[in-house]
Amino acid sequence: QLQLQESGPGLVKPSETLSLTCTVSGGSISSSSYYWGWIRQPPGKGLEWIGSIYYSGSTYYNPSLKSRVTISVDTSKNQFSLKLSSVTAADTAVYYCASIRPDLDYWGQGTLVTVSS
Amino acid sequence: EIVMTQSPATLSVSPGERATLSCRASQSVSSNLAWYQQKPGQAPRLLIYGASTRATGIPARFSGSGSGTEFTLTISSLQSEDFAVYYCQQYNNWPLYTFGQGTKLEIK
């Protein structure tokens, strides 16, 4: 069974870049069966898909965030990462990573990232 | 972009009763629809995929139906642990996804 774990700073200053990593265990990130994705949830609100990546490096981004998002994969570490640039308070959210098959069958526990000076 | 609309926003049901949650897509998503359950402080959990297939370990009281633009999640006899927020998600134009805004299922 796959397990995913998000890690990264819980506080980011406005205009800076948010960086998170998702570590996958219980399976290989190079599996042809899965894509890997990031989803976020502002406090008290619904889910927003951020983007997805395949182990080959192919990426797909939410058009509303595309200009600020970069997702990358490190197969040697069984990890994939999210960078979101020029953050504002509106980017404050719980950020989840998930496995995609294409439904989202395994999720990380989520990590709260607050944008504040 | 495919817009997913869930109704109602809040549903109040007594334990032991049936709950019916709806999800509508702005254009056909075939059967490429999933349902997730989210409890406070937890990550979403996959309940249903392919519009009607229960995920591993999901009780039989959860069932999904529909195709095209209209979908339903039914919980046949509500247990205390079922009170949560439920989201639908289309993956017809995977890997570009959209979620519904959620339905909060609360105890009546």
Side-chain angles (χ1 to χ4, degrees):
Chain A
Q1 175 170 322
L2 288 175
Q3 294 186 339
L4 295 89
Q5 178 68 58
E6 305 89 350
S7 59
L11 181 64
V12 181
K13 290 181 169 56
S15 80
E16 295 190 344
T17 296
L18 178 160
S19 296
L20 295 174
T21 295
C22 181
T23 301
V24 178
S25 57
S28 172
I29 204 168
S30 299
S31 168
S32 59
S33 300
Y34 282 101
Y35 280 65
W36 307 94
W38 289 98
I39 303 95
R40 70 179 182 178
Q41 185 171 38
K45 296 188 177 180
L47 301 166
E48 179 181 33
W49 172 72
I50 300 172
S52 309
I53 191 165
Y54 195 51
Y55 76 92
S56 62
S58 299
T59 52
Y60 307 87
Y61 300 137
N62 185 327
S64 68
L65 298 170
K66 186 174 182 178
S67 63
R68 299 194 292 130
V69 173
T70 302
I71 297 176
S72 59
V73 64
D74 186 337
T75 55
S76 67
K77 295 182 179 179
N78 232 32
Q79 295 176 335
F80 62 105
S81 298
L82 168 69
K83 292 187 184 298
L84 181 65
S85 64
S86 304
V87 298
T88 70
D91 295 310
T92 293
V94 175
Y95 285 76
Y96 296 101
C97 59
S99 58
I100 301 171
R101 57 167 197 178
D103 52 82
L104 308 177
D105 59 344
Y106 291 101
W107 295 64
Q109 65 184 26
T111 187
L112 174 62
V113 179
T114 301
V115 179
S116 175
S117 56
Chain B
E1 177 187 338
I2 300 175
V3 177
M4 308 301 293
T5 303
Q6 292 185 240
S7 62
T10 303
L11 182 61
S12 299
V13 183
S14 299
E17 294 189 340
R18 175 190 297 260
T20 303
L21 290 68
S22 296
C23 176
R24 173 177 293 179
S26 60
Q27 63 189 75
S28 177
V29 297
S30 187
S31 294
N32 296 313
L33 184 110
W35 289 94
Y36 302 86
Q37 177 194 66
Q38 187 179 34
K39 297 180 180 179
Q42 297 184 16
R45 176 176 70 147
L46 177 66
L47 296 176
I48 301 284
Y49 63 94
S52 61
T53 302
R54 281 190 302 277
T56 303
I58 301 303
R61 64 180 181 273
F62 290 90
S63 63
S65 63
S67 65
T69 62
E70 300 284 343
F71 300 89
T72 300
L73 174 69
T74 301
I75 311 171
S76 60
S77 179
L78 280 164
Q79 307 297 304
S80 58
E81 62 266 29
D82 299 335
F83 293 95
V85 179
Y86 291 84
Y87 294 94
C88 63
Q89 176 226 353
Q90 69 80 20
Y91 50 90
N92 191 61
N93 57 343
W94 170 82
L96 304 178
Y97 299 111
T98 46
F99 292 92
Q101 81 280 17
T103 290
K104 182 180 181 180
L105 180 57
E106 64 177 27
I107 300 174
K108 186 175 182 180

